[in-house]
Amino acid sequence: MPLLNLGIVAHVDAGKTSLTERLLYEAGAVSRPGSVDDGTTRTDSMELERRRGITIRAAVTSLHLGDLTVNLLDTPGHPDFIAEVERPLAVLDAAVLVVSSVEGVQPQTVAIWRALRRIGVPTLFFVNKVDRRGADVDRVLTQIRRRLATCPVMLTTVAGQGGRDARVRALRLDAEPVVAAVAEADDAIAARWLSGEPVRARDVRRAVRAGVRVTSLVPVACGSAITGAGVPQLRHLLADLLPRCDERDGPVAGTVFAVDRDTHGRRAWLRLWSGRLRVRDRVCLSGTRPQTVTQIAVSEPDGVLVRPAATAGQIAAVRGLSARIGQHVGDPPRRHLYRFPPPTRQALVEPVDPAQRLALFAGLADLADEDPLVDLRLDEHRSEAVIRLHGEVQKEVIAALLEERYGVRVRFSGTLTACIERVVGTGTAEDRIRERGNPYLAGLGLRIEAAPVGHGIEFRPGIEPGRLPPAFVAATEEGVRAALRHGRHGWPVTDCVVTMTSSQYCPRQSRPHQKFDKSISTVAGDFRNLAPVVVTAALRRAGVRVCQPVERFDVNLPHHQADAVTALLGRAGAAIDDTGGSGGYLEMTGTLPSSRVPLVVAALPDLTGGEAVLTTHFDHYAPVTGEDPPALPRRGPDPADRDGWFRAMPR
């Protein structure tokens, strides 16, 4: 049976979860549509999702459209979850981008559309809420054309919009408005239409399918997810126009796009690109040793059901794999390789009840193991946990998971821009046994030198093979990497090469007629504890430079607001690289220090009357000029928090 892995994406509150529920109901997968307001939706499983009425984690459910099986991925729409949105996008065959016919194209709509275009996901637009007062489908169609710079093809029409009795009907593919829209993107259709020749519906269908696949045009349907108006027409368009998954034979290849836990433990959600994955198969995830698959459950219209195997195109929940989001089995298609941007903010996490500190550390370690977007740094000496963040609302998600799973209530403090340190030159240091107060039965010399940007941390034993026991070499590397997590100014050190230049140790021995004596024999802990001391001295001699994250921004705004926005960006320290635009809107791109992004985000709506759309993504790190930023978070709740907790998310 053919498969389609379909994503439902939208700006927050545009109605994507309601549309998912309506599609499930129309397909007979549920007896009645779930309600976001009542917290009865099938795809919102987290208590926080039900309480807030928003989607936080991508969820999978399945249904039948005739002979087509559709795996639906309901994804977040809040701006703080753009990374959560992009991860499932990388495993999709196509997407439905939901836009409210009342609010129209909103800032997150633009951000998601750019992500869809960047990844190359074929997309269909659904203009929702035609039954609501203020609905204006024609206005939204104009916004899609102008603000998203794409070629929309309206394939349905609505009568009585703005009222509960709004009705939707499908347009014939050879109708004049459809042919005229398709002609904008297809030269063959344009030639026939301009010459007055009749254009057949099958030729238009072929052109639309081809245009959707290469994203040169987008089909548009309208309706209401609440009343069901237009949903039958949408179901037909999904099955008729969107490209289905390409089932490939060959070696097993798949991508992990989510990790969660249920009552039976941990499971990794995997999209298979080729081959067949069976229970008891041993597979290699990127960067890991072979692991054994102990159970496979496949997403089907009847639920997530245990099966002996999963085949190309299917989405499966797999147990037995210590997988992280973004890891791959085999060699997936290049389009679907997702690279996680580094977080640009960090905060200290503390338990409300100090007695729960160990439970907090354990819970945070579990979350970090599941999700690379949870960048955790534990300081055992200070008994502190620092988390690096992609947005303010991520705090609430982490807090909700910690309370829901582990019963630990937390607060955040000391939120700062997350910087790094880069080595400037070359520095060496050495500590020898029983010299200069060295308390360890180990001697160690290290050389630290700068490496190219993006090189990461490279550790080289640098000693003759066999001179030092492998356990001591491994312990030294562990100590080096731990020390580099907190550089001279407290920030992580990266892009450097650390080489062992000398070593000393006392062989395993004992006093006469006694067993092994630690006081006269070197153990791995001696090298592990000595390494940070030597690293600190070598860094001091090499010199480090604190670098702050810089983001690439794109502002879409009306031409008449360009001067005011340019002045705002200039005051924030932005560098504008390019400007251009069409249809009365200007596109302005450049770079901006991450520490200044919140100020621009806060000022832009009032300055432009809410018309400007700003999207940003991490670009690079740049040296901090002037005084270095604070190195360690301050204690106490952040000023933005309420009662030691968080700002509420918009509904």
Side-chain angles (χ1 to χ4, degrees):
M1 182 176 288
L3 278 167
L4 171 64
N5 292 298
L6 182 70
I8 309 291
V9 293
H11 184 97
V12 63
D13 206 31
K16 59 185 170 21
T17 300
S18 297
L19 178 60
T20 301
E21 293 294 322
R22 176 59 63 173
L23 288 170
L24 290 170
Y25 174 72
E26 297 279 349
V30 295
S31 58
R32 61 188 295 268
S35 168
V36 174
D37 293 334
D38 296 338
T40 58
T41 56
R42 181 167 171 176
T43 53
D44 288 342
S45 57
M46 288 176 58
E47 174 60 29
L48 179 62
E49 292 178 307
R50 298 182 186 278
R51 188 170 69 248
R52 292 294 192 190
I54 65 170
T55 300
I56 293 172
R57 290 285 176 94
V60 184
T61 188
S62 302
L63 56 87
H64 286 309
L65 293 181
D67 66 341
L68 177 66
T69 298
V70 178
N71 292 323
L72 279 178
L73 279 81
D74 183 32
T75 63
H78 195 280
D80 268 14
F81 304 126
I82 186 61
E84 187 76 31
V85 174
E86 291 198 28
R87 289 187 292 192
L89 293 188
V91 302
L92 296 179
D93 301 310
V96 174
L97 179 49
V98 183
V99 182
S100 168
S101 61
V102 179
E103 289 82 11
V105 173
Q106 296 179 275
Q108 186 70 355
T109 311
V110 179
I112 293 173
W113 172 245
R114 288 172 176 166
L116 289 166
R117 293 296 296 269
R118 184 168 60 252
I119 299 173
V121 181
T123 304
L124 181 149
F125 278 77
F126 182 70
V127 181
N128 192 24
K129 302 184 180 181
V130 297
D131 60 318
R132 292 266 301 274
R133 184 185 300 273
D136 189 338
V137 173
D138 290 337
R139 172 176 56 85
V140 175
L141 197 66
T142 301
Q143 289 179 341
I144 291 173
R145 182 185 303 276
R146 295 172 63 185
R147 303 220 70 171
L148 305 184
T150 190
C151 181
V153 180
M154 178 59 77
L155 296 175
T156 62
T157 185
V158 59
Q161 64 177 320
R164 294 289 291 183
D165 60 347
R167 295 291 179 266
V168 175
R169 67 177 180 85
L171 291 172
R172 291 173 53 88
L173 290 180
D174 55 0
E176 183 77 7
V178 177
V179 175
V182 175
E184 290 187 39
D186 188 281
D187 292 341
I189 297 295
R192 289 187 182 183
W193 181 59
L194 292 173
S195 65
E197 296 182 30
V199 181
R200 295 174 296 184
R202 67 182 184 184
D203 293 329
V204 175
R205 178 181 288 105
R206 187 182 302 113
V208 171
R209 286 175 173 172
V212 168
R213 187 174 291 274
V214 299
T215 67
S216 62
L217 55 79
V218 291
V220 181
C222 59
S224 169
I226 295 298
T227 67
V231 175
Q233 291 83 359
L234 173 64
R235 285 163 46 85
H236 171 74
L237 294 175
L238 295 177
D240 189 42
L241 299 180
L242 297 184
R244 302 175 182 186
C245 73
D246 182 18
E247 300 182 27
R248 298 185 299 161
D249 295 326
V252 174
T255 299
V256 178
F257 68 91
V259 175
D260 66 5
R261 281 180 168 83
D262 61 8
T263 55
H264 301 290
R266 194 175 191 270
R267 58 185 181 177
W269 288 88
L270 192 73
R271 158 70 195 261
L272 287 175
W273 303 108
S274 63
R276 185 180 182 88
L277 183 66
R278 301 174 179 85
V279 175
R280 308 309 302 171
D281 278 356
R282 287 181 63 79
V283 298
C284 288
L285 291 160
S286 46
T288 67
R289 295 179 178 179
Q291 302 177 56
T292 302
V293 175
T294 58
Q295 186 188 77
I296 296 174
V298 177
S299 180
E300 298 178 1
D302 293 330
V304 181
L305 305 178
V306 175
R307 296 293 187 226
T311 58
Q314 291 185 318
I315 290 178
V318 180
R319 300 189 195 276
L321 303 182
S322 298
R324 299 190 77 208
I325 296 169
Q327 287 186 313
H328 305 288
V329 175
D331 186 19
R334 184 168 297 276
R335 171 174 85 84
H336 304 282
L337 295 174
Y338 183 74
R339 185 177 181 182
F340 298 106
T344 57
R345 305 284 285 168
Q346 77 172 39
L348 188 69
V349 191
E350 299 177 291
V352 174
D353 180 1
Q356 292 186 308
R357 190 170 298 277
L358 291 179
L360 167 66
F361 286 2
L364 286 172
D366 281 347
L367 296 183
D369 181 55
E370 293 175 9
D371 190 347
L373 292 182
V374 180
D375 189 348
L376 173 65
R377 301 172 191 275
L378 293 177
D379 187 333
E380 297 178 359
H381 298 292
R382 292 192 178 98
S383 294
E384 292 179 346
V386 175
I387 242 185
R388 294 198 156 199
L389 304 161
H390 291 262
E392 285 297 308
V393 181
Q394 192 182 5
K395 292 180 182 178
E396 186 161 1
V397 177
I398 292 171
L401 288 170
L402 288 170
E403 184 172 10
E404 189 175 311
R405 289 190 190 176
Y406 308 99
V408 179
R409 294 182 70 243
V410 300
R411 58 172 172 256
F412 293 84
S413 63
T415 302
L416 300 169
T417 300
C419 298
I420 63 169
E421 296 180 28
R422 285 203 172 105
V423 178
V424 176
T426 300
T428 60
E430 181 180 10
D431 265 19
R432 300 179 65 81
I433 295 178
R434 300 186 181 91
E435 291 185 10
R436 294 189 300 174
N438 179 3
Y440 306 108
L441 286 180
L444 182 62
L446 295 174
R447 181 176 66 251
I448 297 180
E449 51 196 324
V453 173
H455 186 86
I457 298 171
E458 180 183 356
F459 177 80
R460 297 174 181 173
I463 57 175
E464 306 86 16
R467 179 172 178 176
L468 194 65
F472 294 172
V473 175
T476 301
E477 180 175 2
E478 184 180 341
V480 166
R481 292 187 180 276
L484 292 177
R485 285 197 286 270
H486 303 280
R488 294 199 62 204
H489 301 276
W491 304 105
V493 180
T494 188
D495 299 333
C496 63
V497 177
V498 183
T499 307
M500 289 180 65
T501 57
S502 65
S503 63
Q504 289 178 297
Y505 73 100
C506 297
R508 183 183 180 92
Q509 55 188 301
S510 63
R511 300 183 188 279
H513 312 297
Q514 294 183 6
K515 294 182 179 180
F516 168 72
D517 190 340
K518 163 64 180 71
S519 67
I520 58 176
S521 305
T522 301
V523 295
D526 290 313
F527 280 94
R528 186 181 300 110
N529 294 327
L530 179 60
V533 178
V534 182
V535 165
T536 300
L539 282 177
R540 185 170 60 251
R541 292 166 184 166
V544 295
R545 179 182 294 119
V546 176
C547 298
Q548 64 178 335
V550 176
E551 302 193 32
R552 180 154 293 281
F553 69 84
D554 190 314
V555 182
N556 179 280
L557 70 160
H559 278 285
H560 67 274
Q561 297 173 344
D563 290 343
V565 173
T566 300
L568 170 65
L569 293 170
R571 291 193 300 271
I576 298 174
D577 296 337
D578 191 23
T579 57
S582 61
Y585 284 87
L586 183 70
E587 290 283 337
M588 190 180 300
T589 61
T591 55
L592 177 68
S594 297
S595 59
R596 313 298 291 177
V597 170
L599 300 178
V600 175
V601 170
L604 206 56
D606 290 340
L607 188 65
T608 64
E611 291 191 76
V613 177
L614 172 71
T615 58
T616 65
H617 63 272
F618 173 82
D619 190 70
H620 66 280
Y621 286 99
V624 174
T625 56
E627 184 179 354
D628 289 336
L632 297 173
R634 56 179 171 77
R635 289 185 175 273
D638 287 340
D641 295 342
R642 297 289 185 266
D643 300 325
W645 276 70
F646 322 92
R647 288 176 292 180
M649 289 185 284
R651 293 293 298 270

